Amino acid sequence: LTTNSYLLNFEKRNFFISPRFHRLDTPLSDVFSNDFWGLPLDDPESHKSYRPLTVLSFRFNRYLHGLWAPGFHVGNIAAHSLVCVLFFWFCSGLGMGLSGSLGAALLFAAHPVHTEAVTSIVGRTEILSAFFFLLSIIAYQRSLNRYYNSPTDTRRPERFSVLWMALAVFLSAVSLLCKEQGVTALGVCLSYDVFVVCGFNFRSFAVACRYMLRGFKQWENMKRHIHPPEWLLSLIKRVIIIVTTAIVLLTLRIIIIGGGSPSFVDSDNPASFSPHFQTRLLTYSYLCAFNFWLLLCPSWLCYDWSMGSIPLVDSLGDGRNLATCAVMVILVCLLLHGLSSGYSRTTALQNGYAAIPASEENNHVTTVAPNGQSTSCHFMHRKKKTSGSRDSSTTADKALQRSKHLSVFALSLLLLPFLPASNLFFPVGFVVAERVLYLPSMGFCLLVAIGYKQLRSKWKVPAILALCCILLMFSAKTLARNLEWSNTQTLAEAALKVNSGNAKVHLTMGNVLAQQGNRSCEGFYRRALTLRPQYTAAWANLGLVLLNTDRPQEAEDCYRRALAIKPDHVNGNTNMAHLCRLQGRWEEARRHYSEAARRRPKNPALHYFIGFASEKLGSPEDLQQAELKFQKAIQLHPAYWEAHLALGRLLATTSNGRRLQHGFPKGKQMDKAILHYEKAIRLKPDDPEARYELGRLLLSKGHTRRAEEELLAAVRLSPSHAHAHFELGNAYEALGNTRQAVTSLQRAVNLDQTLAVARQKLDSLIIAS
């Protein structure tokens, strides 16, 4: 198991507390019109992360067990287990054999870089995308299986199954709806087709290019007599289908998200904000090398690498360029090795033309040479057969060539899924993220398994021991990393050891300590501001700590610093509004709440507080705005009991837009007030104040029995509520129960000696009795 399923960590907590995120009463259409984080796709702050199927999986979890954290974790573990089994099946289909497939699958299952994707609830995007990604490639394999029996079969398929091909395309679209990189499944399918099935290699491409460059005249003379083989025509059809599908899917996605680029800030990805092309190129290249190192040696793992954790590479003299060059050299060498031929060259030229050796008669093209003789030119580099000649390639040669083809495919499986996160085509909202390596790590594990098979064929015991050592080390690291993800504090402490220069990590640690009431959180906030003085979130949180420690003026200064840096900062405006509310500065509080609501128009709490401040201002226009804002909060969050209570209270104390000095409104407004009180009580039945106020309304409307029930509930919940005892005494009096009325009024007087009206009523009842 690569997850701890007991606690919600910081990421999951922020994710699920979002007011409309995965709520079952939220319209299903919102799932397909909002981004992954619940923001509308046209919102300026939207990350354009369109992943509706992942969101639906979370809604299903919530339908089953609410926000019970272990249930979500079990879902992630189950999905990861299925991906591991599917990866084993996939490797077996590549002809890796039991030992190679099992080695690749175990390495994938235990790799420490997967801990974030599996442990973090929101990492399910990676797992689901990988699941359908693998299914798409397997379906593509099945589309050729009828005409291509196994990886050891030398025949190239002349046809393919349209049904399985359509299923492969559909599954790649499903993977895309789980996460953006799912579309790269189509590219991996093409790589499988070209390199594994059709066996293209470096000599194939080189000889073909050299053949065409021999002279335009020769080509013109010969091309009239070329009859392309059926397998080549079939391959071209498959390429057209895959490329067309990829273009259509990407176009549809751009249309759905409304075009444009995601909204990020420079702290998320500093390189993308650099004005210098050289800096961006060198930094992005180094980050690719850094990710490769995380796959090779996952020793420095951290949940966040933003805030300048990795300084920009702004010059060619930076020593980190050596690491970039080293990784590039390794990848290029692997690619050249995979594309190189494993067979000896036979006849390169026949009758003045280059010929590419082939293996069977369906791979040749019949041409007419200038001397009038017919010549067979073969497209692919495989063993050449002629009548009466022996097979010159050995079983070892064939195995070596297959491993080379698989190596090229493994490289494509490593590189293609990583391209969307590489910043090379468009900027992303992170510097390094371990979770995005979930899919590319399949290519890495496959490469290691190919090397393991080669080593095992020569030194069986050392190869097995080496693989076992790697698996043990990876498992130990995964277990340790899993313990670090147990809760937010252990995660932040682990990050500080690896990445102490990251201001966000210090902010997270400060938040953990602040929730515990530990005043040392202030030091972490100030350290974050030392590392990054323009960090608005740190200023806003530091202000909150100062306010809670009776330093309101210093807190206000922090809020103003945050708003000076970013005037529309949501938390800065919200915290400033709370401070103004506590100090009775209602107009200023409403202004800051309104600014925050402008950026978060679907946040019901902000609308509620705007209504609260407007009600306190008290003018007819303000009271009308308060009513509208309370209704808006209820519309956004029907189970928002505070909004129901506030609206009921407002309706019960106003008439025609004016505050009532005494008594209650009449008619439909009173009925609406009672209705909202009842909804508030259904949502929070243990609130004594709501029951007391509803009891008063019911009593004034003549519903004495119902009023008695609510008031009895109020005094049970709050025995020291003097006014509830007084109103209960009035209810008993109206019911003719003088004895209990006297008892309730006596309790009210004992609890509050200043409650003169209760004493007068008590005296009158005693005299009357």
Side-chain angles (χ1 to χ4, degrees):
L1 297 182
T2 57
T3 184
N4 184 305
S5 57
Y6 294 99
L7 299 171
L8 285 173
N9 62 54
F10 79 102
E11 183 181 15
K12 304 160 198 165
R13 184 175 178 83
N14 292 340
F15 193 55
F16 285 93
I17 286 180
S18 177
R20 292 174 61 80
F21 187 74
H22 308 320
R23 288 166 40 84
L24 297 178
D25 54 0
T26 300
L28 193 63
S29 59
D30 282 9
V31 174
F32 295 93
S33 60
N34 292 348
D35 69 9
F36 184 57
W37 301 97
L39 291 176
L41 289 168
D42 57 356
D43 190 283
E45 291 192 352
S46 172
H47 287 185
K48 307 293 185 182
S49 48
Y50 187 66
R51 305 163 188 173
L53 295 187
T54 306
V55 176
L56 285 176
S57 75
F58 289 129
R59 283 179 69 114
F60 180 70
N61 271 110
R62 189 160 183 178
Y63 172 77
L64 291 178
H65 51 70
L67 288 178
W68 186 57
F72 290 93
H73 287 293
V74 168
N76 279 24
I77 296 172
H80 177 60
S81 302
L82 286 175
V83 171
C84 293
V85 173
L86 204 59
F87 186 55
F88 171 79
W89 184 22
F90 166 71
C91 292
S92 299
L94 294 175
M96 290 291 294
L98 178 61
S99 61
S101 301
L102 187 61
L106 289 176
L107 191 64
F108 178 80
H111 204 298
V113 83
H114 297 160
T115 308
E116 179 179 350
V118 182
T119 304
S120 172
I121 291 178
V122 297
R124 188 179 298 180
T125 57
E126 319 293 336
I127 307 173
L128 290 182
S129 179
F131 179 75
F132 292 108
F133 183 100
L134 285 174
L135 284 179
S136 176
I137 303 174
I138 292 172
Y140 194 89
Q141 288 177 324
R142 296 294 298 270
S143 73
L144 303 174
N145 275 0
R146 184 176 175 183
Y147 314 99
Y148 173 75
N149 296 330
S150 71
T152 60
D153 192 353
T154 58
R155 293 178 301 167
R156 299 175 184 86
E158 298 180 355
R159 289 178 292 172
F160 59 91
S161 169
V162 176
L163 182 62
W164 281 105
M165 178 69 69
L167 181 59
V169 167
F170 172 75
L171 290 169
S172 67
V174 173
S175 181
L176 176 62
L177 292 176
C178 294
K179 194 177 180 182
E180 299 75 27
Q181 66 196 68
V183 73
T184 60
L186 296 173
V188 176
C189 287
L190 274 187
S191 172
Y192 169 77
D193 201 341
V194 171
F195 298 111
V196 178
V197 176
C198 293
F200 275 83
N201 55 32
F202 183 75
R203 181 176 292 180
S204 303
F205 293 117
V207 174
C209 293
R210 188 167 64 250
Y211 175 67
M212 289 187 292
L213 293 175
R214 303 255 323 165
F216 181 78
K217 184 177 179 180
Q218 279 186 317
W219 175 255
E220 284 293 319
N221 290 335
M222 196 185 74
K223 68 180 182 179
R224 293 189 297 270
H225 305 283
I226 291 181
H227 305 286
E230 290 297 325
W231 68 264
L232 182 59
L233 293 176
S234 178
L235 174 62
I236 293 173
K237 290 178 184 178
R238 297 195 295 271
V239 170
I240 292 174
I241 292 173
I242 294 300
V243 172
T244 303
T245 301
I247 293 174
V248 170
L249 290 178
L250 291 175
T251 302
L252 288 175
R253 188 180 186 281
I254 291 173
I255 293 173
I256 290 173
I257 66 176
S261 58
S263 174
F264 302 119
V265 295
D266 61 343
S267 60
D268 294 332
N269 190 352
S272 62
F273 288 84
S274 174
H276 305 294
F277 174 76
Q278 175 181 292
T279 299
R280 295 197 302 272
L281 179 62
L282 293 177
T283 303
Y284 291 156
S285 301
Y286 173 71
L287 292 179
C288 293
F290 188 87
N291 279 280
F292 183 80
W293 176 254
L294 289 182
L295 288 175
L296 189 62
C297 183
S299 55
W300 287 2
L301 299 179
C302 180
Y303 76 90
D304 187 87
W305 290 93
S306 63
M307 299 284 176
S309 300
I310 301 178
L312 300 181
V313 183
D314 52 8
S315 70
L316 294 173
D318 194 310
R320 289 174 292 175
N321 290 323
L322 294 176
T324 302
C325 292
V327 171
M328 296 304 172
V329 168
I330 292 173
L331 294 179
V332 170
C333 288
L334 286 173
L335 182 62
L336 293 178
H337 172 73
L339 291 176
S340 64
S341 172
Y343 299 98
S344 60
R345 182 175 179 180
T346 55
T347 304
L349 298 174
Q350 293 182 357
N351 296 327
Y353 297 111
I356 306 173
S359 59
E360 60 281 75
E361 52 190 39
N362 77 330
N363 293 323
H364 73 273
V365 176
T366 302
T367 66
V368 178
N371 57 11
Q373 298 177 356
S374 77
T375 303
S376 292
C377 292
H378 301 263
F379 276 78
M380 301 304 300
H381 172 69
R382 293 198 181 187
K383 181 187 59 175
K384 180 181 178 181
K385 288 185 179 180
T386 58
S387 59
S389 66
R390 299 182 63 226
D391 185 351
S392 59
S393 63
T394 64
T395 303
D397 291 331
K398 294 179 180 180
L400 178 61
Q401 191 66 14
R402 286 199 305 273
S403 70
K404 288 185 176 183
H405 293 156
L406 287 177
S407 297
V408 178
F409 172 69
L411 279 175
S412 68
L413 185 56
L414 170 66
L415 298 177
L416 290 179
F418 182 71
L419 285 180
S422 65
N423 287 285
L424 297 177
F425 297 102
F426 48 83
V428 296
F430 53 83
V431 178
V432 174
E434 298 163 23
R435 60 186 179 276
V436 302
L437 295 176
Y438 189 83
L439 249 178
S441 66
M442 293 182 182
F444 172 80
C445 295
L446 184 56
L447 275 174
V448 174
I450 292 171
Y452 163 72
K453 279 199 68 179
Q454 292 294 313
L455 186 63
R456 191 173 185 269
S457 64
K458 297 179 180 180
W459 301 287
K460 182 176 181 179
V461 175
I464 295 175
L465 290 177
L467 180 63
C468 290
C469 288
I470 293 173
L471 289 174
L472 286 174
M473 288 189 294
F474 275 18
S475 299
K477 179 62 178 179
T478 299
L479 178 59
R481 185 67 177 151
N482 180 61
L483 295 176
E484 292 171 357
W485 273 85
S486 297
N487 56 65
T488 310
Q489 184 170 350
T490 56
L491 187 62
E493 290 172 348
L496 285 173
K497 297 175 183 177
V498 175
N499 202 354
S500 60
N502 188 325
K504 185 181 288 188
V505 174
H506 288 275
L507 177 73
T508 302
M509 193 66 196
N511 292 342
V512 171
L513 297 175
Q515 292 171 2
Q516 297 173 355
N518 190 330
R519 292 196 175 188
S520 62
C521 63
E522 182 178 343
F524 283 95
Y525 290 141
R526 295 193 183 278
R527 175 59 179 163
L529 291 169
T530 301
L531 293 169
R532 192 173 184 84
Q534 304 298 308
Y535 198 0
T536 52
W539 283 114
N541 288 12
L542 176 60
L544 194 59
V545 171
L546 295 172
L547 179 62
N548 291 333
T549 53
D550 298 325
R551 289 177 281 178
Q553 188 57 50
E554 293 181 56
E556 185 169 348
D557 293 340
C558 289
Y559 296 150
R560 295 196 183 281
R561 288 285 298 272
L563 295 176
I565 298 168
K566 189 177 182 182
D568 59 350
H569 188 254
V570 175
N571 288 344
N573 277 292
T574 303
N575 289 355
M576 185 68 181
H578 287 332
L579 173 62
C580 295
R581 177 172 59 85
L582 292 174
Q583 296 180 345
R585 296 148 56 185
W586 299 112
E587 184 63 46
E588 193 174 352
R590 182 170 64 175
R591 176 165 55 83
H592 285 291
Y593 281 132
S594 299
E595 180 63 27
R598 187 179 66 82
R599 297 297 303 274
R600 292 286 187 271
K602 293 188 176 182
N603 187 317
L606 294 174
H607 291 284
Y608 166 77
F609 281 114
I610 294 172
F612 188 85
S614 298
E615 183 183 7
K616 291 295 182 180
L617 289 170
S619 70
E621 295 79 10
D622 294 326
L623 292 176
Q624 290 178 0
Q625 185 185 22
E627 182 176 350
L628 292 175
K629 287 299 179 180
F630 290 146
Q631 290 173 349
K632 182 66 174 178
I634 292 171
Q635 177 187 347
L636 293 171
H637 186 5
Y640 198 168
W641 76 272
E642 293 97 334
H644 282 291
L645 180 60
L647 182 56
R649 189 175 290 152
L650 179 66
L651 294 173
T653 56
T654 59
S655 179
N656 298 321
R658 296 184 180 278
R659 182 77 68 183
L660 295 175
Q661 299 299 321
H662 58 274
F664 299 101
K666 305 298 182 182
K668 293 184 178 180
Q669 185 168 334
M670 173 70 87
D671 294 335
K672 289 181 180 178
I674 292 174
L675 179 64
H676 285 289
Y677 270 113
E678 290 174 341
K679 287 183 178 179
I681 290 171
R682 279 199 299 271
L683 293 168
K684 190 174 175 60
D686 59 346
D687 184 65
E689 197 65 28
R691 289 188 176 273
Y692 158 69
E693 293 177 13
L694 176 59
R696 289 186 65 215
L697 286 178
L698 293 171
L699 191 60
S700 68
K701 198 170 174 61
H703 301 315
T704 311
R705 285 294 181 186
R706 288 185 58 199
E708 177 192 9
E709 294 174 2
E710 297 299 333
L711 292 168
L712 277 172
V715 297
R716 279 197 300 268
L717 292 168
S718 179
S720 60
H721 199 312
H723 289 81
H725 284 287
F726 169 68
E727 293 295 344
L728 182 59
N730 291 335
Y732 283 137
E733 181 188 12
L735 292 171
N737 193 337
T738 306
R739 180 178 176 181
Q740 294 213 6
V742 170
T743 302
S744 294
L745 291 171
Q746 185 64 57
R747 288 176 181 169
V749 171
N750 293 338
L751 290 168
D752 187 356
Q753 298 293 332
T754 63
L755 196 58
V757 64
R759 182 172 292 280
Q760 293 173 2
K761 174 74 71 171
L762 177 62
D763 292 342
S764 64
L765 283 179
I766 292 175
I767 293 172
S769 61

